[in-house]
């Protein structure tokens, strides 16, 4: 079943040469610098290569991170700062706030920034794969797995590495807890969308589908709440997406809950549940139009014109008519004025992030190699520090357009 997910742009970065003239005083040290430079370029290239797959990405990211860790971790595994941690300046843009970069002379900042892009890549890979027509079961599993990996990467960065930064995290930017939490929860919600699609395809109990849809709607509501205190100029389109998905899955929840009620001969309540589903579907339809008209980062799309949206609308309409018809001919039950309370808890199918671990430090790093970096030869001037307003060119990402007869997704 075709899916559509909102995606913010990748973080962009300035080139890094790792040319430590005079400081890298031995062939082994110079080789480390050369390998860092080439592996960084290679990883950045793969982020925007539409033919890249998870195996290629893991190999490239492991190659770079294993070398970069030699600038961060102590070789003996201790907690003391590595002498090379602050030798190189790094500049990165923000996924929300445009092309003016933040800069820190800190290898941990580089690790987090590149790791953030790695999480974004897995989410974008999932989005591209999920948008295919006639997606196979194997591909659906890959989408599900990639979204859980992305959530795990963002969680790992938040819990393990961001607290180690010396420079305080800037409010409203990628490393701030509200933003990174939004990415984590959204990946979980989108993975659950795949679970719901699978449950529907296999004709699982409507009660399970309703519970999963309700949990997923709550996830999107949490994302929206997390984003609500950020500057609207940067997150309006993202919030439009989360509100759209929340209403869509509330419509799903009430629709399938109505089927459960009908199966229990509670036809009056089933009618009211389907009426509530119809109401949420109408809200989602309005938000679809709002999303398409809202300026901001993300794929340009018209969700209301896609299969996922039209299919649910038809399903809600048909199910409501069936309940009303059967209530008029068989049950003659009063339709409650209030919608039923959804006290649904899914016991199966809830998504947790896949724990992420960085690779081991490269075996190229030895005490002798590290000793080959002579910091007493480091230049004394600050000319390498960036100008605050200097721009970094955005990444040229693959154009992810929805398929002609499917497009944006929700399930």
């Amino acid at each position: 079943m075709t899916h559509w997910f909102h995606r913010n742009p990748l973080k962009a970065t300035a080139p890094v040469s790792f040319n430590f003239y005079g400081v890298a005083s031995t062939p082994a040290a110079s080789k480390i610098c050369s390998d860092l430079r080439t592996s960084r370029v290679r990883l950045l290239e793969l982020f925007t290569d539409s033919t890249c797959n998870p195996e290629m990405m893991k190999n490239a990211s492991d190659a770079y991170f294993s070398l970069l860790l030699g600038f961060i971790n102590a070789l003996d595994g201790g907690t003391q700062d590595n002498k090379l941690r602050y030798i190189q300046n790094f500049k990165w843009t923000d996924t929300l706030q445009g092309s003016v970069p933040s800069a820190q002379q800190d290898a941990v900042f580089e690790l987090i920034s590149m790791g953030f892009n790695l999480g974004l890549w897995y989410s974008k890979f999932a989005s591209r794969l999920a948008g295919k027509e006639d997606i196979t079961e194997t591909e659906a599993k890959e989408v599900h797995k990639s979204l859980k990996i992305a959530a795990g990467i963002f969680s790992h960065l938040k819990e393990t590495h961001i607290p180690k930064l010396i420079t305080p995290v800037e409010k409203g930017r990628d490393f701030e807890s509200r933003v990174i939490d939004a990415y984590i929860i959204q990946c979980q919600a989108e993975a659950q969308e795949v679970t719901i699609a699978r449950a529907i395809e296999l004709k699982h109990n409507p009660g399970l589908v309703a519970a999963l849809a309700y949990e997923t709607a709550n996830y999107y509501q949490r994302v929206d709440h997390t984003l609500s205190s950020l500057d609207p100029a940067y997150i309006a389109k993202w919030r439009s997406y989360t509100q759209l998905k929340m209403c869509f899955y509330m419509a799903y929840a009430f629709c399938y809950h109505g089927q459960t009620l009908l199966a229990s001969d509670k036809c009056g309540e089933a009618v009211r549940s389907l009426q509530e589903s119809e109401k949420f579907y109408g809200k989602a339809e309005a938000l679809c139009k709002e999303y398409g008209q809202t300026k901001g980062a993300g794929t340009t799309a018209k969700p209301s014109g896609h299969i996922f949206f039209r299919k649910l609308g038809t399903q809600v309409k048909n199910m409501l008519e069936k309940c009303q018809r059967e209530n008029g001919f068989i049950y003659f039950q009063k339709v409650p004025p209030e919608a039923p309370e959804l006290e649904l808890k899914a016991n199966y199918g809830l998504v947790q992030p896949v724990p992420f671990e960085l690779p081991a430090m490269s075996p190229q790093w030895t005490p002798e190699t590290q000793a080959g970096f002579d910091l007493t030869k480091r230049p004394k001037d600050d000319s390498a520090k960036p100008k605050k307003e200097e721009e970094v060119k955005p990444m040229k990402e693959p154009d992810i357009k929805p398929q002609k007869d499917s497009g944006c997704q929700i399930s």
Side-chain angles (χ1 to χ4, degrees), residues 28 47 50 60 112 115 118 148 159 180 200 219 231 242 249 272 280 287 313 321 326 334 338 348 356 373 385 396 401:
F47 283 146
S50 61
I112 298 167
L118 182 63
K148 292 194 294 181
E159 295 163 9
I180 202 164
I200 293 171
Y219 269 131
D231 188 340
T242 61
Y249 279 101
R272 186 64 187 86
F280 273 106
L287 286 164
E321 289 176 353
E326 295 200 10
K334 183 179 179 181
E338 299 296 326
Y348 307 98
F356 176 74
F373 288 87
K385 290 189 176 180
K396 293 183 178 180
K401 290 186 177 179

Side-chain angles (χ1 to χ4, degrees), residues 377-391:
K377 304 291 181 62
R378 188 176 172 187
K380 301 296 183 183
D381 65 81
D382 291 328
S383 60
K385 290 189 176 180
K387 298 176 183 178
K388 190 173 180 61
E389 299 303 319
E390 183 179 355
E391 289 196 347

Side-chain angles (χ1 to χ4, degrees), residues 101-135:
S102 295
Q104 293 189 35
Q105 196 141 326
D106 187 349
V108 171
F109 176 70
E110 166 75 355
L111 175 71
I112 298 167
S113 300
M114 195 68 83
F116 205 98
N117 259 10
L118 182 63
L120 290 174
W121 182 86
Y122 273 100
S123 74
K124 288 170 181 280
F125 173 76
S127 181
R128 286 197 298 274
L129 191 58
K132 290 179 59 179
E133 300 173 38
D134 302 321
I135 184 170

Side-chain angles (χ1 to χ4, degrees), residues 66-119:
S66 68
L67 291 167
L68 185 66
L69 287 173
F71 277 51
I72 299 170
N73 295 344
L75 295 186
D76 61 3
T79 57
Q80 189 173 358
D81 255 359
N82 190 311
K83 71 174 186 177
L84 302 177
R85 175 175 169 178
Y86 307 105
I87 193 175
Q88 174 68 54
N89 194 74
F90 300 96
K91 289 181 283 185
W92 284 88
T93 63
D94 189 77
T95 60
L96 299 176
Q97 296 193 22
S99 58
V100 177
S102 295
Q104 293 189 35
Q105 196 141 326
D106 187 349
V108 171
F109 176 70
E110 166 75 355
L111 175 71
I112 298 167
S113 300
M114 195 68 83
F116 205 98
N117 259 10
L118 182 63

